[in-house]
Amino acid sequence: MSNFAELGLSRPILRAIEKAGYENPTPIQAQAIPTALNGRDIIGASQTGTGKTAAFALPILSQMVPDEHPQCLILEPTRELAAQVEDQMNLFSYYRPTNVVLIHGGVGYGNQLEGLETNPDVIIATPGRLLDHMSKGTIRLDKIKFLVLDEVDRMLDMGFLPDVRRIIDQCPKERQTLFFSATMPGQIETLANWVLKDPVEIEVGGRRAPADTVSHAFYPVAMDQRDDLLLALVDQTHFDSLMIFTRTKKEADTLAHLVKQSATEANVAVLHSDIRQSDRTKALAGFRSGEFDVIIATDIAARGLDVSGVTHVINYRVPENAEDYVHRIGRTGRAQQEGDAFTILSADEVDFAKAVENYIGQKIERRKLDNFDYIYTALLDDSPPRPIRAKRGGGGGKRRRR
Ligand code: AMP
């Protein structure tokens, strides 16, 4: 199926797609849209950046009816993802005015209560705050016809599955459910069996492989040279926009300080869950607009965030969870653009590195950074550590500024 007009979407939605500048459906859209328009439940797995949001948003908007409030509920694991889905919903409903209300924690209740009083058609929510509203009686789900459970494996990681079950329990049994999860561990399979009716399975591009537009490599280095190697990578890389991932919030703060103090001229923002919601929103908006060219983030930012045009990703550590590797490097190489992802690897992370390679089913290239004074090259050579004399290399090429 090669164009949107053949998929059965309504006229106003087709016009909005044209306005958004989308020419052809992505593979997941080509499969999910006609299936959802036929009223079928879907269980979908696809790489991030494949157009998953439109794959569920377009057929739902096409099928919505007047005077049922709210008739669509979309559950997202994080506030950022919820806000991103809201943007897309608003984009696609340009010619079919739709009242979309965003419900998430970390902000006051005032605006949300005002929004709820306007009879929303669609609620996009994170589980905790939605349950608060449900217990206060400010949201009722008895008119829900369309339920989207997005990034369910992330909800599992964040401990939201019991909340998700309580929410689904309050939705009518007669509904259409679209369920997306990059991986399908036992608990998620059990949930899927409970919420879905005879679902159509859609899997695009393999659950595990990173997008083939991303060139990725490990940069082995001694533990105590990690920071130096990171700064050298930042300095020598010709990036336009760079995401650096860390495991902990503290590490993100420390690295932000380090990068800011270094010779780089980059404007640096930090994104993690201890940062106030308003500052997180500013950091993301600033990164999207180009005000910040580097963002240092924990995994909260890795899943599904739609930041287009990220040219480079650096993992300061190998992710402990192999699947996070794919999510992190998936921030680049989106929508068929090319991207580079570098992962700094130290001896204590060799097992995690192997786990990542097993998970994606590929050996990841080990690279050495030119002009960097490696203390020893054991991890590079795959031979026992042997000290080598540090020598200063010539200056590497400075990165290009926009
Ligand atoms: P998603 O996987 O939903 O996060 O989407 C990733 C990016 O691809 C977003 O920036 C979308 O706006 C963009 N996108 C989605 N579908 C299409 C399409 N059919 N053509 C061009 N861009 C698209």
Side-chain angles (χ1 to χ4, degrees):
M1 197 80 69
S2 61
N3 71 56
F4 280 108
E6 295 168 40
L7 299 180
L9 292 162
S10 70
R11 205 50 229 132
I13 303 304
L14 285 173
R15 286 178 65 202
I17 293 170
E18 204 178 315
K19 187 169 188 302
Y22 294 3
E23 285 173 10
N24 294 306
T26 64
I28 192 170
Q29 291 162 5
Q31 290 182 58
I33 292 171
T35 309
L37 288 173
N38 275 334
R40 296 290 300 271
D41 282 4
I42 288 178
I43 180 157
S46 93
Q47 297 174 51
T48 57
T50 51
K52 171 162 59 82
T53 314
F56 63 74
L58 297 171
I60 290 177
L61 286 167
S62 236
Q63 295 181 85
M64 291 213 318
V65 296
D67 301 329
E68 305 262 329
H69 305 285
Q71 60 185 290
C72 171
L73 171 65
I74 301 173
L75 283 184
E76 294 289 339
T78 66
R79 304 159 192 178
E80 283 80 9
L81 276 169
Q84 208 168 276
V85 172
E86 182 196 27
D87 288 345
Q88 294 222 31
M89 278 301 227
N90 287 331
L91 179 73
F92 300 137
S93 56
Y94 193 83
Y95 296 105
R96 190 224 172 276
T98 303
N99 186 358
V100 179
V101 168
L102 188 60
I103 298 291
H104 59 62
V107 293
Y109 282 79
N111 282 347
Q112 295 182 359
L113 289 171
E114 273 174 34
L116 291 170
E117 278 166 16
T118 61
N119 282 337
D121 302 295
V122 177
I123 289 183
I124 304 170
T126 54
R129 180 61 69 90
L130 176 64
L131 276 174
D132 280 354
H133 279 284
M134 287 163 63
S135 65
K136 290 189 172 85
T138 43
I139 294 184
R140 291 174 56 93
L141 301 178
D142 53 335
K143 295 282 193 306
I144 295 295
K145 298 165 82 73
F146 306 100
L147 172 65
V148 179
L149 304 174
D150 196 17
E151 306 265 340
V152 180
D153 47 355
R154 193 58 176 170
M155 303 226 223
L156 170 73
D157 290 350
M158 296 173 79
F160 287 152
L161 282 203
D163 287 354
V164 171
R165 281 179 171 273
R166 285 165 60 203
I167 292 165
I168 299 170
D169 241 350
Q170 300 297 311
C171 295
K173 299 263 174 298
E174 270 310 304
R175 58 160 199 261
Q176 183 174 24
T177 308
L178 309 180
F179 185 110
F180 296 91
S181 186
T183 55
M184 214 48 75
Q187 277 169 284
I188 294 187
E189 218 166 292
T190 311
L191 179 74
N193 288 337
W194 176 59
V195 294
L196 295 166
K197 261 191 262 160
D198 189 22
V200 176
E201 279 186 43
I202 293 178
E203 185 172 334
V204 174
R207 288 175 191 173
R208 302 180 156 199
D212 51 17
T213 47
V214 182
S215 142
H216 55 120
F218 283 139
Y219 281 77
V221 74
M223 268 299 265
D224 49 10
Q225 280 201 300
R226 267 177 185 289
D227 290 356
D228 290 340
L229 183 65
L230 173 75
L231 292 180
L233 278 168
V234 171
D235 190 51
Q236 294 191 27
T237 302
H238 295 247
F239 64 84
D240 282 335
S241 55
L242 167 66
M243 291 190 103
I244 301 175
F245 286 108
T246 63
R247 277 194 204 148
T248 64
K249 300 169 204 173
K250 188 159 175 280
E251 202 168 74
D253 290 333
T254 309
L255 289 188
H257 185 70
L258 191 73
V259 176
K260 281 181 193 163
Q261 298 298 305
S262 73
T264 169
E265 302 146 34
N267 294 318
V268 180
V270 189
L271 193 67
H272 61 63
S273 57
D274 278 355
I275 304 230
R276 272 193 320 199
Q277 180 59 32
S278 56
D279 291 336
R280 279 159 67 175
T281 308
K282 266 191 223 147
L284 255 184
F287 189 62
R288 284 198 178 106
S289 70
E291 180 194 341
F292 299 116
D293 28 29
V294 177
I295 198 160
I296 302 185
T298 56
D299 278 310
I300 190 168
R303 298 258 179 159
L305 276 191
D306 181 19
V307 183
S308 57
V310 176
T311 58
H312 292 77
V313 167
I314 299 179
N315 288 313
Y316 178 70
R317 290 181 185 279
V318 181
E320 287 180 20
N321 176 350
E323 194 193 323
D324 283 340
Y325 181 83
V326 178
H327 285 285
R328 288 183 184 187
I329 76 169
R331 297 309 86 223
T332 182
R334 285 163 85 76
Q336 301 307 310
Q337 309 219 337
E338 306 229 319
D340 284 294
F342 312 135
T343 300
I344 298 177
L345 164 66
S346 295
D348 62 325
E349 297 169 318
V350 168
D351 287 345
F352 295 135
K354 284 194 187 126
V356 168
E357 290 178 323
N358 283 341
Y359 182 77
I360 64 173
Q362 295 169 15
K363 175 99 181 141
I364 298 172
E365 185 194 337
R366 268 66 172 163
R367 272 190 217 152
K368 194 170 173 217
L369 186 67
D370 288 341
N371 305 317
F372 183 77
D373 307 328
Y374 285 90
I375 297 173
Y376 67 81
T377 55
L379 284 163
L380 286 162
D381 299 344
D382 274 339
S383 56
R386 71 189 154 83
I388 59 166
R389 205 159 48 89
K391 62 173 193 315
R392 288 261 155 220
K398 273 277 172 206
R399 93 190 155 75
R400 174 171 49 80
R401 303 279 305 166
R402 262 173 299 179

